[in-house]
Amino acid sequence: MSATRRNRNDFAGVKGESRDAHATSWSAGRLGPGGRRLIAAGTAYSAGALHSGTVTKVGFASPAKASDYGWNQQGFNGAKAAAAATGSQFKAITNIGYDKTDVILRQLINGGAKFIVAHASGYDTIATRLAKQYKVPTITYDVPTNLTKGLVSYITTSSQEGAYLAGVLAAKTTKTHKIGIIISAADDNWYKMSGGFAAGFRSLDKSSKIFFATVSPTGYDDAAGGKRVADSVIAQGADVLFTMGDNASFGYLQAVESATVGHKVWMIGDIGNMTPIDKKHVFLSSVLWNFTGVFTQAIKDVNNGTYGTHGYNLSLKNGGISLLKSKYISAGTWSQIQTAQASIKAGTITIPVAHNAKAVQKLIK
């Protein structure tokens, strides 16, 4: 996930082309009579039709299923909760990949959506064009230049803030004094989080070894590759892994669960919470992304006429970014994490922002 999700999805068509779309409808958060039925593609609005005024229905489109314990699930849950909070119906079409974005977004428009979450930065160009064509307010990711009054806004993240806290946690947890950072792809948010994590770790531990590994340039959904790389880092002695990956995260978890190296190995995840599938008690924490607040505010901004005049950001201060507190984190360690969090919110800790592997490596040293 992410990214925001992020530069990853600019590889349109690379993945998900054979996926079957899943559609789900809610009214104020409940399953509606439409169930899992797609809106007929033949229904059409004229290009000049206006969808203005109060948002009564929220549309959501994502590249993968809302069961990934990451980007897609967090976005789906956030949009559903925002719809319920604002008294709107909710229509989601998930698992659409990247090759039919235009068709799916039109289905949401034709189905009466008055606000659309195009939940992938790879959807930005098409989503922006359709928002202007059909006059349907739409939220995208990462690109401030798409800002259009009344119609288009965007989400960014300060994910490095939560990653800094994860670094503090890793420094307090490691016993081998070797840890790993694994990213699934060359992604700006992964670099930001990797740099933030390294800075947090180094704030307490100046000497322990930090391994930094990448699955592949676009290995977001490569679970097998994730396991292979995680196995390698674990074999070098790392006992805490900070992992970023989408479906690659399932491979990371498998590697940590199956590790037989004579000591406990922990996994810190990203975006979502994999605790429900952690059968071996190795999932230490996660840098969580919560979209509910920004989606809810965006809908309110549409309703009061201020949408499209500014962007939205996930941060520690607004609750969009947080560190998961698991039962495996001691009270003393959590207190230290909370102290660091308060300092970040107050601006007394400045976290460097890395945008590439070279910048991450500088922070690791």
Side-chain angles (χ1 to χ4, degrees), residues 6 30 64 77 84 89 117 121 145 171 190 206 237-238 263 302:
R6 281 144 348 216
R30 296 183 179 179
N77 289 345
Q89 294 180 322
V117 177
S121 64
T145 55
W190 291 170
K206 308 296 185 184
H263 57 257
V302 172

Side-chain angles (χ1 to χ4, degrees), residues 147-202:
L147 192 67
T148 305
K149 184 173 173 54
L151 295 175
V152 182
S153 191
Y154 61 92
I155 295 173
T156 55
T157 81
S158 295
S159 52
Q160 70 277 5
E161 296 177 347
Y164 184 98
L165 302 181
V168 172
L169 173 60
K172 298 292 291 182
T173 302
T174 182
K175 305 299 183 185
T176 64
H177 301 288
K178 295 178 181 179
I179 67 165
I181 301 172
I182 307 176
I183 62 176
S184 60
D187 182 284
D188 186 62
N189 267 283
W190 291 170
Y191 292 134
K192 283 174 24 179
M193 294 175 75
S194 297
F197 177 85
F201 186 87
R202 289 295 184 221

Side-chain angles (χ1 to χ4, degrees), residues 44-77:
Y45 283 93
S46 68
L50 292 177
H51 292 241
S52 58
T54 302
V55 174
T56 55
K57 189 171 188 177
V58 175
F60 176 87
S62 67
K65 295 178 182 179
S67 56
D68 62 350
Y69 298 95
W71 171 260
N72 298 279
Q73 187 173 57
Q74 290 296 94
F76 176 93
N77 289 345

Side-chain angles (χ1 to χ4, degrees), residues 170-171 174-179 201-202 204-211 239 364-365:
T174 182
K175 305 299 183 185
T176 64
H177 301 288
K178 295 178 181 179
I179 67 165
F201 186 87
R202 289 295 184 221
L204 297 181
D205 186 329
K206 308 296 185 184
S207 59
S208 290
K209 176 69 175 179
I210 303 178
F211 299 101
D239 64 347
I364 284 174
K365 292 178 178 179

Side-chain angles (χ1 to χ4, degrees), residues 55-106:
V55 174
T56 55
K57 189 171 188 177
V58 175
F60 176 87
S62 67
K65 295 178 182 179
S67 56
D68 62 350
Y69 298 95
W71 171 260
N72 298 279
Q73 187 173 57
Q74 290 296 94
F76 176 93
N77 289 345
K80 178 184 173 183
T86 56
S88 305
Q89 294 180 322
F90 181 57
K91 175 72 175 184
I93 307 179
T94 64
N95 204 39
I96 70 174
Y98 303 99
D99 59 330
K100 47 193 172 186
T101 307
D102 186 286
V103 172
I104 297 301
L105 293 182
R106 287 177 189 271

Side-chain angles (χ1 to χ4, degrees), residues 24 48 63 70 73 80 126 168 173 211 246 291 324 349:
T24 311
Q73 187 173 57
K80 178 184 173 183
I126 293 173
V168 172
T173 302
F211 299 101
D246 295 338
F291 295 93
L324 173 69
I349 291 179

Side-chain angles (χ1 to χ4, degrees), residues 2-7 9-10 58-63 71 75 79 101 105 109 115-132 136-157 189 289 291 294-295 298-299 302 307-308 310-314:
S2 81
T4 50
R5 179 166 164 141
R6 281 144 348 216
N7 295 337
N9 296 337
D10 294 336
V58 175
F60 176 87
S62 67
W71 171 260
T101 307
L105 293 182
I109 293 168
F115 177 77
I116 290 178
V117 177
H119 198 57
S121 64
Y123 297 167
D124 284 2
T125 301
I126 293 173
T128 298
R129 172 170 55 80
L130 293 179
K132 295 177 180 179
V136 180
T138 298
I139 199 158
T140 61
Y141 292 89
D142 296 330
V143 185
T145 55
N146 286 338
L147 192 67
T148 305
K149 184 173 173 54
L151 295 175
V152 182
S153 191
Y154 61 92
I155 295 173
T156 55
T157 81
N189 267 283
W289 296 16
F291 295 93
V294 293
F295 289 158
I299 293 169
V302 172
Y307 187 71
H310 58 84
Y312 304 86
N313 185 59
L314 304 182

